[in-house]
Amino acid sequence: EQQQSLLLSSSARFPPPQGVRLSYGTAGFRADAGLLQSTVYRVGILAALRSLKMDSSVIGLMITASHNKESDNGVKIADPSGGMLSQHWEPFADALANAPSPQHLLHLIIEFVEKENIPLEGVRPAQILLGRDTRPSGESLLEAAKQGISSILGAVAIDMGIVTTPQLHWMVRARNKGVKASELDYFEQLSSSFRCLMDLIPSGSTFNEVDNKLVVDGANGVGGEKLEVLKKMLDGLAIEVRNSGKDGGVLNEGVGADYVQKEKVVPHGFSSQDVGIRCASLDGDADRLVYFSVPSESSSKIDLVDGDKILSLFAVFIKEQLNILNKEGHTDVNSDYQPRLGVIQTAYANGASTDYLRKLGLEVLFTPTGVKYLHEKAAEYDIGIYFEANGHGTIVFSESFLCWLESRNNELSSIVKGSEQQKAALRLLAVSKLINQAVGDALSGLLLVEVILQHMGWSIHRWTELYRDLPSRQLKVKVVDRTAVVTANAETVAVRPPGIQEAINAETAKHPQGRSFIRPSGTEDVIRVYAEASTQEAADSLANSVAKLVD
Ligand code: 16G
Ligand code: ZN
């Protein structure tokens, strides 16, 4: 009774915008910030209900539009594990966001609470951690989220302030595991596991001191400012942050991982002075990371090191540690456990990366685009490494493997302390602490890249040369109804409209090493086209002819 009148009165203050239909897409709701007050308010309600449903575990609510332009904003939910909101709740999120009136909203909530058996009384209060990126609109949207949360009786909102998306996911996960979860705890975990990996670098490593410098493009967002803090806690790595947002640059404008990866040109703040230097770029909420270098003084082109190559670097390192660990030697009961290592990519992965990974003997799987699909697949392995070409990815370790690794480490240290095998075990344990287990995290990914390069003694050039990317082209085609395209097999095949896949196949067959696919975007009203082939001209021409088929 009291609950119902509270919901009615408070939702009346957040009328939904007229004539727009929002959908909880691949990465939550995203739109022009001016349209989002009511949506964020309602997601606040949803977060509180989700917490109650999950035995009052902590839920995360993040206000960000990632790499979108500054005037956009968005909101998404982190589940108790720190992962994405269960897909099974997405239709409810859509319905809530689009309910036309307070009465409709209330009705939806009552119905859903009943259907999902959500306990509203006699349980611990719902708890929600709130975070936002640096967008100016974040402040008032945060207020709307708080109002939504407090319209569920007893629900508690804890504001973490301006944080990266992965920081908030990490904090949610940590809190639910009962460990300390402040920003300082996050920084301490990253810096101490980084130090541990640095201390375990083989003494013969040929890493060149001049290679020691890293320049990072912070996209004028939250990542740069956090990295400024984190870098002071690190030894053995010199980081210069540019585009930290303090020098007047605009968020994501000519800067950031999305720009660098799509345009393949130097971001603002970088120039021919940086030839040969190892550079990295974060996106607006620091959940994507790409590397690049400037090959020559005469052009603004870059050599891009994308998510596929970061994945490959991680895979090589992890595989090396597993090999050391499994070396014949001491025969004891525990040593014959064979951890399952899986690598997860999407159709956007450059074909050359997939070939390379398979030649290393790795099991490579594909899922549709979107972190929720990749993460879920990766979690089926003892060690699952996933990356999107755009730079979002991480390594997830199973609990059972980590337990086995702990006990293996103890055994090994009682046989010969400091053996190569024990070091490999320690390295894997440190990686599991350094790399964000909840979601892709540019800051933790960056530290892992850095320590692996030092471990291998590799320059960025050596890393780039692991394999050579096939030339590729991405296009988008504006369409009236993007749902007309339906895909299957991890988006590699278009099953609708009828006949289109045959036509794509016919175009593809004209080009050596050709590959092409189309898919409806999850974030924009467009059909995306991807093509790769043995030359840039061929990739461009293939993309163009496939785009014509869509039009
Ligand atoms: C979102 C996804 C990203 C995906 C992109 C594709 C998350 C956290 N983010 O940004 O993984 O690559 O959408 O966008 O899942 P598109 O559907 O418009 O191509
Ligand atoms: Zn992002």
Side-chain angles (χ1 to χ4, degrees), residues 26-27 30 67 76 84 287-288 348 369-372 388 390 392 519-524 528:
T26 343
R30 241 181 241 187
H67 55 277
K76 57 185 167 186
M84 303 291 165
D287 63 351
R288 286 192 195 176
Y348 286 110
T369 301
V371 174
K372 56 192 172 193
E388 293 190 313
N390 62 27
H392 188 113
R519 57 175 281 276
S521 159
T523 64
E524 280 182 74
R528 296 201 192 281

